[in-house]
């Protein structure tokens, strides 16, 4: 399934599944290619990278402190925050190589940029089908305006910030000229507690903005992304790893291949189960007749008997008079003898 924004607007399609490689390739190109091939085999529609560099996310203060939330490098002797960022960052040439590999496998390629140069690389050189904005940039209004000016759809995660900032972020992207936006509900806790997942925000965003909505997941396991299908999401994004125990930033909250396949299979099957808001009778006439009840005689009844409600019982099969017509039989005179448990026919009165 290729990215198609108009299909997302129309709805009724399988959710587009993004396998978020992020930095889980750990800077290893062979591992990155293995992950891409495996994600494709699992059924993912797109792989996403993170186009960070040493200079476009962390400041000198972060590197001097040698600390980032959840990753304390201060007591390590084998590497620092700065060295791990340099090790995991992908060069421009590596972006091109992985994009070509995705084209070869027929899977969409995109990334999250963290500066204008990254946006230009993705849009002008790699021709990605959409730009993915990280939650950390929801308040980065000038950056959002620039992204909105590039003429491609924008998918934005909404963790870390309140509704007022999400409103401002959407307005900034629109101010840049983009009207093809997909809003992803996201909780930027790794992992959030069940009570913090709040999948109802998916509906809220759809009602608030009128744009297609999706879900970017940071929970353990597959329950939340699968449940999001019932919210009519157009996109499911899930971090992906080959091994949850690998060294790195996001492996533990990522889906392994088995979990990614479960999510992709659920997306393929689950959206069909959503159906419509119109009541449809799918059971065959034969099945309906076998399962439903008819009105039968509660006891032996003689010709000329005037029926009362006590004379009526209701049993399978449903090939005769439906119980919904029971009031029409009360007070009727029988034209023939009826045995107990016999189905009444309209010609019996």
């Amino acid at each position: 399934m290729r990215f198609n924004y108009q299909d997302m607007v129309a709805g009724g399609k399988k959710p587009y599944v993004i396998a978020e490689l992020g930095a889980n390739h750990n800077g290893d190109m062979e591992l990155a290619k293995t992950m891409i091939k495996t994600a494709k085999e699992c059924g993912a529609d797109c792989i996403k990278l993170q186009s960070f560099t040493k200079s476009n996310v962390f400041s000198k203060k972060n590197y001097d402190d040698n600390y980032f939330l959840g990753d304390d490098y201060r007591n390590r002797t084998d590497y620092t925050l700065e060295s791990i960022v340099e090790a995991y960052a992908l060069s421009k040439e590596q972006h091109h190589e992985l994009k070509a590999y995705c084209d070869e496998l027929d899977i969409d390629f995109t990334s999250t940029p963290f500066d204008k140069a990254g946006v230009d690389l993705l849009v002008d050189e790699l021709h990605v089908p959409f730009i993915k904005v990280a939650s950390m940039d929801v308040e980065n209004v000038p950056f959002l305006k620039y992204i909105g000016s590039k003429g491609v759809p924008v998918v934005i995660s909404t963790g870390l910030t309140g509704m007022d900032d999400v409103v401002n972020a959407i307005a900034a992207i629109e101010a840049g000229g983009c009207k093809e936006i997909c809003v992803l509900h996201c909780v930027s806790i790794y992992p959030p507690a069940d009570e913090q997942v709040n999948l109802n925000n998916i509906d809220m965003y759809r009602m608030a903005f009128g744009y297609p909505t999706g879900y970017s997941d940071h929970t353990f396991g597959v329950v939340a992304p699968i449940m999001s299908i019932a919210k009519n999401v157009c996109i499911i994004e899930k971090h992906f790893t080959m091994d949850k125990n690998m060294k790195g930033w996001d492996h533990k909250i990522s889906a392994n291949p088995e979990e990614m396949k479960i999510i992709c299979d659920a997306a393929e099957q689950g959206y069909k189960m959503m159906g419509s808001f119109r009541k449809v009778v799918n059971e065959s006439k034969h099945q309906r007749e076998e399962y439903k009840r008819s009105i039968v005689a509660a006891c032996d009844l003689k010709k000329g008997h005037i029926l009362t409600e006590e004379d009526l019982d209701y049993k399978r099969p449903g090939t005769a008079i439906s119980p919904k017509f029971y009031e029409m039989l009360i007070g009727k005179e029988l034209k023939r003898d009826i045995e107990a448990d016999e189905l009444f026919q309209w010609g019996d009165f």
Side-chain angles (χ1 to χ4, degrees), residues 78-202:
D78 50 350
Y79 57 82
T80 63
L81 174 61
E82 185 172 358
S83 68
I84 203 79
V85 169
E86 288 181 319
Y88 290 175
L90 296 176
S91 68
K92 177 177 177 179
E93 291 72 25
Q94 287 172 319
H95 277 74
H96 277 275
E97 184 177 343
L98 294 179
K99 170 61 163 59
Y101 187 64
C102 286
D103 290 343
E104 180 183 328
L105 296 182
D106 193 30
I107 185 171
D108 281 349
F109 169 96
T110 194
S111 186
T112 292
F114 296 97
D115 58 11
K116 291 181 179 180
V119 176
D120 293 343
L121 169 63
L122 295 174
V123 176
D124 301 335
E125 297 187 34
L126 299 175
H127 308 293
V128 297
F130 64 95
I131 288 289
K132 170 65 201 312
V133 178
S135 293
M136 64 175 282
D137 280 317
V138 169
E139 297 180 36
N140 194 346
V141 171
F143 188 44
L144 295 176
K145 286 183 178 179
Y146 185 74
I147 291 172
S149 74
K150 296 298 288 186
V152 296
V154 176
V155 177
I156 181 169
S157 285
T158 56
L160 301 174
T161 49
M163 189 60 177
D164 55 341
D165 287 316
V166 178
V167 170
N168 291 337
I170 300 301
I173 296 169
E174 291 173 333
C178 179
K179 298 299 190 291
E180 294 186 334
I181 302 170
C182 182
V183 185
L184 303 190
H185 170 53
C186 178
V187 180
S188 298
I189 301 172
Y190 300 79
D194 292 348
E195 296 78 12
Q196 296 171 313
V197 175
N198 202 8
L199 293 176
N200 285 328
N201 274 356
I202 296 167

Side-chain angles (χ1 to χ4, degrees), residues 8 57 87 117 123 144 156-157 184 197 203 220 253 281 284 303 318:
M8 293 181 181
V57 175
V123 176
L144 295 176
I156 181 169
S157 285
L184 303 190
V197 175
D203 297 324
F220 287 146
I253 56 93
V281 179
S284 68
K303 178 181 176 180

Side-chain angles (χ1 to χ4, degrees), residues 176-327:
C178 179
K179 298 299 190 291
E180 294 186 334
I181 302 170
C182 182
V183 185
L184 303 190
H185 170 53
C186 178
V187 180
S188 298
I189 301 172
Y190 300 79
D194 292 348
E195 296 78 12
Q196 296 171 313
V197 175
N198 202 8
L199 293 176
N200 285 328
N201 274 356
I202 296 167
D203 297 324
M204 181 271 291
Y205 283 140
R206 186 182 298 112
M207 291 184 288
F209 299 113
Y211 285 121
T213 55
Y215 177 55
S216 179
D217 182 56
H218 294 135
T219 65
F220 287 146
V222 300
V223 173
I226 290 175
M227 286 187 63
S228 75
I229 298 168
K231 292 294 184 180
N232 286 306
V233 291
C234 63
I235 290 176
I236 297 172
E237 180 184 54
K238 179 74 174 178
H239 284 267
F240 182 56
T241 182
M242 298 302 293
D243 183 351
K244 293 173 182 281
N245 295 313
M246 288 183 68
K247 180 183 74 174
W249 290 327
D250 296 320
H251 293 284
K252 291 191 185 304
I253 56 93
S254 298
N256 61 25
E258 293 76 19
E259 291 171 326
M260 182 58 70
K261 187 174 190 318
I262 290 171
I263 294 169
C264 293
D265 288 349
E268 185 69 43
Q269 183 180 12
Y271 89 98
K272 299 174 186 176
M273 297 178 178
M274 293 301 297
S276 69
F277 292 95
R278 180 171 60 89
K279 181 69 175 80
V280 177
V281 179
N282 292 303
E283 299 84 359
S284 68
K285 180 176 183 293
H286 174 71
Q287 184 179 4
R288 296 197 303 271
E289 289 178 343
E290 289 295 316
Y291 274 64
K292 289 184 177 183
R293 298 175 188 250
S294 297
I295 304 177
V296 303
C299 57
D300 292 337
L301 300 171
K302 295 295 185 181
K303 178 181 176 180
H305 179 74
I306 305 299
L307 289 178
T308 67
E309 187 170 352
E310 289 71 26
D311 296 325
L312 309 182
D313 203 352
Y314 313 94
K315 298 183 180 182
R316 288 174 172 171
T319 54
I321 301 173
S322 169
K324 66 184 178 182
F325 298 120
Y326 83 99
E327 290 181 318

